[in-house]
Amino acid sequence: MVLESHEVDPVVTDPELYSVLFENERVRVLQYRDHPSDTTHPHRHPDSVMVTLADFRRRVHAGGREVEVELTAGQARWVGAQEHVGENIGTTDSHAIFIELKEPVPTPRPAGDMPLGPSTGQAG
């Protein structure tokens, strides 16, 4: 079953966790807030920049892979386009901002080569 883009939009899959702060034809800015042990439904992010507003510890799952991410407040990370499930495995609430790019990905990647979780590097 192939899901439509609106069916994997985090604002649709988890409206209690994600909200839209700003949107225009080029970007969408989301706010994310959760509590320890909260888990998202499967959702998709386009290429994005994530800025943490609180310390957090998360586990991100996709396609049989998983990564653990621990960040402190005020860090910015590149999040390459991906579909995943996120889980707050820490002891504090998460609070982050996602700046989602609406421009197309420059070069398609094979599914096994897709990024998972945030990184400090640039896209590509």
Side-chain angles (χ1 to χ4, degrees):
M1 168 186 231
V2 175
L3 297 176
E4 297 293 324
S5 62
H6 69 278
E7 294 178 288
V8 290
D9 182 337
V11 176
V12 173
T13 63
D14 295 287
E16 69 285 0
L17 303 175
Y18 285 95
S19 60
V20 177
L21 296 178
F22 174 84
E23 185 169 11
N24 67 19
E25 65 281 347
R26 300 196 59 207
V27 300
R28 181 170 79 158
V29 179
L30 302 181
Q31 176 173 243
Y32 178 80
R33 290 179 177 266
D34 75 5
H35 306 290
S37 78
D38 281 350
T39 301
T40 67
H41 294 89
H43 62 276
R44 179 164 178 70
H45 292 281
D47 284 343
S48 307
V49 173
M50 177 183 70
V51 179
T52 57
L53 301 179
D55 296 353
F56 74 79
R57 189 164 170 242
R58 306 190 59 70
R59 184 175 294 124
V60 182
H61 311 263
R65 298 183 313 159
E66 68 179 46
V67 296
E68 287 192 14
V69 180
E70 190 165 354
L71 295 170
T72 58
Q75 292 188 294
R77 292 290 184 269
W78 175 256
V79 180
Q82 58 189 271
E83 188 172 326
H84 63 234
V85 171
E87 174 186 5
N88 182 337
I89 59 172
T91 58
T92 62
D93 292 352
S94 297
H95 188 193
I97 300 294
F98 288 85
I99 300 102
E100 297 182 333
L101 305 178
K102 292 186 175 183
E103 293 146 1
V105 175
T107 306
R109 296 180 180 164
D113 216 17
M114 296 298 288
L116 182 60
S119 71
T120 58
Q122 296 183 3

